[in-house]
Amino acid sequence: MTEQVVIRAVKWLLFAAVTGTAIGWFAQAVARRIAFMRLGRGTFRPPPPPPGRGDAEKRQTTADIRVNDGSGGTWTMGIGRAGEGAYAPDGSVGGQVFGHRKLLRDIRSGVMHLLLFYGFIVLQFGALDLIWRGLAGYSLPYARPGWFSYMQEITVATVFLAALYGVFRRYVERLERLKRGWKPAVVSLFIGGICATVLLTLAFERIAAPSAVHAEAYAPISSAVAELLRLIGVTPGAAESGYESAWWMHLFVLLAFLVYVPQSKHFHLMTAPINLWLRRSGGRAGRLEPIDLEDEAAETFGVGRIEDFRRKQLLDLYACVECGRCTNVCPASNTGKLLSPMHLIVKLRDHLTEKGAAVTKRSAYVPAWVWASDSGPETNARDEDPSGRERLPGGAFHVMGASVPVWSGGRSAADPSIAPTMEAQAEAWRLETAPDGDILEIALIGGVMTEAELWSCTTCRNCEDQCPVGNEHVDKMIDMRRHLVLMEGRMPAEGQRAMQNIERQGNPWGLPRADRAAWMETCAEQTGITVETVQSFELRGERPDWVVWAGSMGAYDARSRKVLFALIRLLEAAGIRYATLGAEERNSGDTPRRLGNELLFQELCKENIETLERYGIRRIVTACPHTYHAMRNEYPDFGLHPDTEIVHHTELLSRLLDEGKLAPVRFVKERAAYHDSCYMGRYNGAYEAPRRILRAIPGVELVEMERSGRNAMCCGAGGGMMWMEERAGARVNVARVTQALAAAPTVIGSGCPYCLTMMEDGLRQLERDGVAARDVAELLAASVLGDG
């Protein structure tokens, strides 16, 4: 008896020492990464709404209609006030964490992850009992019923099969979005090891102490393993030793996994729920944080160093699970550009970890001796997993080398693929060994992110919409653009030319500022309708119901004018009292802001707000989603009255149809594939209004592209790309038009002047004369007014 007591006491002491050490290493790893994140500025919470905006976000006008999009998200159709939250994507934090709402968009991966997630939760109860039973000699009360044993064995088998399926998806099916190499396999080995040691422990126990275990009916798998062990000659005495060995192996695998988690992409198990909780929501989603350009204490604007990011942005980096869903839908990645949203996050994370270790003078990895190496980097130019988990010798850190995606072999825009981008990123992100090097000297822009990547982003936010852990990629890109533009004066020549034209003439083409109101005269000539200005209403002591915001495209671009004129004619037919600002209108500033020129944006924004306030304008309709988003969600940061209603023309037209003020009675024979604007869809959740209009038109057959709604591919014009040339891979607009043509339409519908331009350019490049691109307002005018 005394000997058994001594053995059990020694086992407890060893258990306490091993477990305590592992928990200590785990705590150190977590604490160090928190310290790295705290190098950022501000807090972990998103920026608060400006004064007066919080109340506006709580309001919802009676004209709004809440609609479910069928995949968990809800959006608003109808009238929206400035600063008002319009979109609540994918439900609550709980729905995403415990319901896997986004993961289940890919049903196979989603179900696999769901089984692993809940399987691991269930297995922890079994692991706790298994460890306790090995220490104390008896089971915990909850684990004594036979059903618990049966549930544990079924769960072990389910988790093991799910892990095998994950290996199959990555290494056999070889999904393009998943990285390969040995590092992604580590977690599969851990899961397999946990499952195997559980079954071995139970099987050896069944042989060594058959009277202390449940009947075979409650333990079908461990019973089969025990029978196999008996067949190869395992005796009860040998089983006792086997039980102790398997028990300790199980403990070691569990604790090793615990220590590994915060030092790998699996840190998302802890950080993802927090990241989702702290995410921006409603009208703040997609809203860029203002820069205080009058802050005399500021030494820099934008992000030129990793520590210039906000702490919440750095939390994003450690929440990433490297699933590749973001890159898989990115228009740049799909058309042969170097930009990959996943690698954006991974590279920034690696750089933060390495620089954080240097700044805090603490090893990034615990225990340090496990990660130490005297032989140099273990990676090479073709490593397919640049995840930053290589052993880092002294003076070694990651840098971005030169690489260009190879878009060849007959590949065209009709064959989008992220493979060239994935290969180029793997080749370029390499570990450099430089004994005299200093991670503190590595430039964020140039050494980590290249300018080619930064200027490839269309800001479509498809990456963010797909991310299951709530990462925000676009604001990081814009923050780095801001640094390039405001601090270094660097921007592609075409973008710089557009900025100069907006500064000098108020439009990207550099056309005369005095011609901004010339569209009104042209409208009178072509439609016979004289559009009044707000000033003329003011002189009569009246106020229009709506102010039509023409925007730079509507005011200057001949093709966009046709859309504006269609809208004017429909408002006239509906008996709406409307007016325009004419020459007093300015560029909305969206293009300068997305290109990083925050100074120019703020000047334009404040000037427009002053004009709106001078006339007391509270209701604005615009045909441009970029203007719509800027005014509705970003102008309130600079003083736009929270009661100002900003609507898109499709929303207002849909409302007029519902009220019976417009009657589409004429037959329009078209097969229409509608292209969703990113800034109306993913930014503001408005998908249904244009479709309601198209369905209301007699003769129009509405068909959906394979990628439509919230997963619609960008046209390629957002983020200022409308004014810049694509020099790598295929053109994004051609790829998108190719997708539209797969639905065999006669017309590609749109609700954005940028999208309309890109669709028409794509059709011309593909030489598809039998298909047209038209705005929804033009199609509705043809049915209501009988021409066009």
Side-chain angles (χ1 to χ4, degrees):
M1 179 65 68
T2 304
E3 182 180 354
Q4 288 296 322
V5 171
V6 171
I7 292 174
R8 193 169 297 278
V10 170
K11 189 173 183 179
W12 269 100
L13 289 173
L14 287 174
F15 167 78
V18 171
T19 304
T21 300
I23 292 175
W25 285 341
F26 169 80
Q28 286 183 53
V30 172
R32 290 179 187 181
R33 276 148 185 79
I34 293 175
F36 299 162
M37 288 184 276
R38 289 178 67 85
L39 294 175
R41 60 183 178 86
T43 68
F44 286 99
R45 291 192 174 276
R53 179 174 171 172
D55 293 336
E57 289 188 345
K58 297 176 184 177
R59 293 195 306 269
Q60 185 178 346
T61 62
T62 56
D64 288 346
I65 302 174
R66 300 296 288 179
V67 186
N68 190 291
D69 69 358
S71 59
T74 58
W75 37 264
T76 300
M77 183 195 72
I79 307 305
R81 297 184 187 275
E84 188 173 71
Y87 194 28
D90 293 286
S92 65
V93 175
Q96 292 203 54
V97 174
F98 299 106
H100 286 36
R101 300 290 288 273
K102 283 193 177 181
L103 285 170
L104 287 171
R105 292 182 191 177
D106 180 342
I107 190 65
R108 291 191 293 170
S109 291
V111 170
M112 177 194 73
H113 198 278
L114 200 66
L115 292 174
L116 287 171
F117 178 81
Y118 282 104
F120 250 84
I121 292 175
V122 173
L123 284 182
Q124 298 322 298
F125 291 97
L128 182 61
D129 175 66
L130 192 67
I131 293 170
W132 177 260
R133 196 159 70 245
L135 292 169
Y138 60 89
S139 290
L140 293 168
Y142 68 79
R144 292 169 187 170
W147 64 262
F148 181 84
S149 172
Y150 185 82
M151 179 184 67
Q152 283 293 306
E153 298 221 351
I154 297 301
T155 302
V156 166
T158 301
V159 169
F160 186 73
L161 290 174
L164 283 180
Y165 181 67
V167 172
F168 172 82
R169 293 269 282 176
R170 187 180 298 271
Y171 296 101
V172 180
E173 193 174 351
R174 298 180 69 83
L175 295 184
E176 287 184 341
R177 64 179 173 87
L178 297 178
K179 294 186 290 187
R180 282 164 281 281
W182 65 269
K183 298 180 198 71
V186 170
V187 69
S188 299
L189 293 175
F190 272 120
I191 295 172
I194 289 171
C195 294
T197 53
V198 165
L199 293 175
L200 283 173
T201 303
L202 294 175
F204 280 126
E205 183 184 32
R206 181 166 292 278
I207 298 174
S211 61
V213 298
H214 292 289
E216 291 186 4
Y218 292 110
I221 302 176
S222 62
S223 296
V225 175
E227 188 61 32
L228 180 62
L229 292 174
R230 289 192 187 97
L231 290 176
I232 62 175
V234 175
T235 63
E240 289 185 12
S241 299
Y243 172 81
E244 289 296 327
S245 299
W247 186 89
W248 280 106
M249 285 175 60
H250 181 66
L251 179 65
F252 283 138
V253 172
L254 270 178
L255 295 178
F257 193 26
L258 177 71
V259 175
Y260 173 77
V261 162
Q263 306 182 82
S264 70
K265 67 179 185 177
H266 302 286
F267 196 22
H268 79 274
L269 294 171
M270 299 174 60
T271 54
I274 300 172
N275 204 46
L276 287 167
W277 178 262
L278 296 177
R279 68 182 175 173
R280 295 179 294 179
S281 59
R284 293 189 298 170
R287 177 179 67 90
L288 297 177
E289 180 187 6
I291 295 179
D292 185 358
L293 297 171
E294 298 179 358
D295 183 3
E296 296 180 357
E299 298 179 356
T300 184
F301 295 117
V303 171
R305 304 173 302 167
I306 192 71
E307 56 266 37
D308 292 335
F309 283 117
R310 287 179 287 107
R311 290 176 180 176
K312 169 58 178 68
Q313 291 176 304
L314 298 182
L315 175 62
D316 281 357
L317 311 183
Y318 287 117
C320 178
V321 69
E322 300 179 35
C323 64
R325 285 173 172 81
C326 53
T327 296
N328 202 48
V329 297
C330 175
S333 304
N334 272 273
T335 54
K337 280 72 173 177
L338 184 58
L339 173 63
S340 162
M342 175 178 68
H343 290 89
L344 160 73
I345 300 295
V346 169
K347 292 190 296 182
L348 291 177
R349 182 186 65 200
D350 291 348
H351 182 63
L352 173 62
T353 302
E354 293 161 11
K355 188 170 185 178
V359 171
T360 61
K361 294 180 170 51
R362 296 289 188 105
S363 171
Y365 301 101
V366 182
W369 55 267
V370 172
W371 302 92
S373 173
D374 298 323
S375 58
E378 296 181 358
T379 190
N380 56 63
R382 301 304 296 177
D383 187 1
E384 292 191 40
D385 182 28
S387 62
R389 300 292 159 258
E390 294 87 355
R391 299 173 181 174
L392 301 177
F397 39 77
H398 285 90
V399 294
M400 187 68 176
S403 183
V404 177
V406 179
W407 190 265
S408 60
R411 180 176 280 127
S412 67
D415 180 29
S417 171
I418 64 172
T421 298
M422 294 286 285
E423 292 167 2
Q425 286 285 351
E427 178 180 327
W429 189 236
R430 52 172 72 101
L431 189 65
E432 297 285 344
T433 303
D436 299 325
D438 187 355
I439 182 64
L440 302 179
E441 296 178 359
I442 297 298
L444 179 66
I445 303 174
V448 179
M449 290 297 297
T450 66
E451 291 188 40
E453 292 171 278
L454 297 182
W455 297 115
S456 295
C457 180
T458 66
T459 69
C460 70
R461 290 190 67 237
N462 206 350
C463 51
E464 297 180 11
D465 179 73
Q466 291 290 320
C467 181
V469 298
N471 279 348
E472 296 169 344
H473 308 72
V474 173
D475 62 339
K476 297 177 183 62
M477 302 288 289
I478 301 300
D479 281 340
M480 287 184 277
R481 286 183 179 183
R482 285 169 163 174
H483 180 83
L484 279 177
V485 174
L486 298 176
M487 302 306 299
E488 301 182 22
R490 282 158 45 197
M491 180 189 292
E494 316 92 84
Q496 185 63 48
R497 186 162 49 251
M499 292 303 95
Q500 291 173 349
N501 288 335
I502 293 174
E503 284 186 68
R504 296 169 182 170
Q505 298 294 344
N507 64 86
W509 300 277
L511 297 172
R513 186 185 296 271
D515 290 348
R516 190 165 196 93
W519 68 269
M520 300 168 66
E521 183 179 343
T522 306
C523 180
E525 294 172 355
Q526 294 185 8
T527 68
I529 299 173
T530 299
V531 179
E532 291 191 72
T533 64
V534 176
Q535 187 178 27
S536 65
F537 272 80
E538 182 82 4
L539 293 174
R540 297 198 306 268
E542 300 176 359
R543 183 171 295 179
D545 295 331
W546 291 97
V547 171
V548 176
W549 193 278
S552 292
M553 291 293 287
Y556 289 97
D557 178 62
R559 180 63 184 90
S560 299
R561 279 185 176 183
K562 294 180 180 181
V563 178
L564 180 60
F565 295 169
L567 173 61
I568 294 295
R569 295 169 66 223
L570 289 168
L571 293 178
E572 190 79 15
I576 303 298
R577 283 163 49 88
Y578 63 93
T580 180
L581 284 170
E584 294 184 87
E585 183 183 295
R586 297 290 180 266
N587 185 282
S588 70
D590 168 80
T591 291
R593 190 169 221 200
R594 265 63 199 177
L595 285 175
N597 194 336
E598 182 73 6
L599 175 62
L600 180 55
F601 164 76
Q602 291 193 17
E603 290 174 351
L604 293 166
C605 171
K606 292 174 182 177
E607 191 172 351
N608 280 326
I609 291 174
E610 288 175 3
T611 302
L612 295 174
E613 289 304 306
R614 184 167 64 251
Y615 290 114
I617 295 171
R618 294 291 179 265
R619 305 178 83 190
I620 300 170
V621 58
T622 176
C624 178
H626 299 264
T627 299
Y628 170 89
H629 174 73
M631 286 188 165
R632 186 179 187 187
N633 298 312
E634 296 180 342
Y635 273 36
D637 289 336
F638 301 92
L640 180 65
H641 197 285
D643 286 334
T644 307
E645 296 178 355
I646 317 294
V647 304
H648 188 247
H649 73 302
T650 58
E651 294 177 320
L652 181 56
L653 294 176
S654 178
R655 182 185 181 192
L656 295 176
L657 283 172
D658 291 339
E659 294 174 351
K661 294 181 179 179
L662 291 176
V665 294
R666 294 168 179 83
F667 193 84
V668 179
K669 184 174 177 55
E670 297 283 4
R671 179 180 168 90
Y674 183 74
H675 164 77
D676 292 277
S677 160
C678 303
Y679 276 73
M680 281 304 295
R682 282 182 288 271
Y683 276 80
N684 290 283
Y687 297 102
E688 184 64 12
R691 289 174 170 82
R692 286 168 62 88
I693 294 171
L694 291 174
R695 293 191 196 103
I697 300 174
V700 170
E701 176 190 1
L702 177 61
V703 294
E704 296 289 355
M705 305 182 214
E706 182 178 354
R707 287 186 60 177
S708 63
R710 67 188 311 156
N711 195 37
M713 184 176 178
C714 179
C715 72
M721 297 302 295
M722 176 75 178
W723 317 105
M724 295 196 289
E725 290 296 325
E726 295 182 59
R727 293 185 171 85
R731 294 181 62 86
V732 175
N733 67 318
V734 175
R736 182 56 173 162
V737 169
T738 302
Q739 293 172 1
L741 293 175
T746 59
V747 65
I748 301 175
S750 73
C752 170
Y754 288 0
C755 295
L756 181 62
T757 300
M758 300 302 273
M759 295 299 103
E760 289 193 334
D761 286 351
L763 287 170
R764 278 194 294 270
Q765 187 163 339
L766 293 172
E767 299 179 348
R768 294 298 297 266
D769 297 332
V771 181
R774 302 185 73 183
D775 189 273
V776 170
E778 294 179 290
L779 293 170
L780 180 60
S783 181
V784 172
L785 304 171
D787 56 11

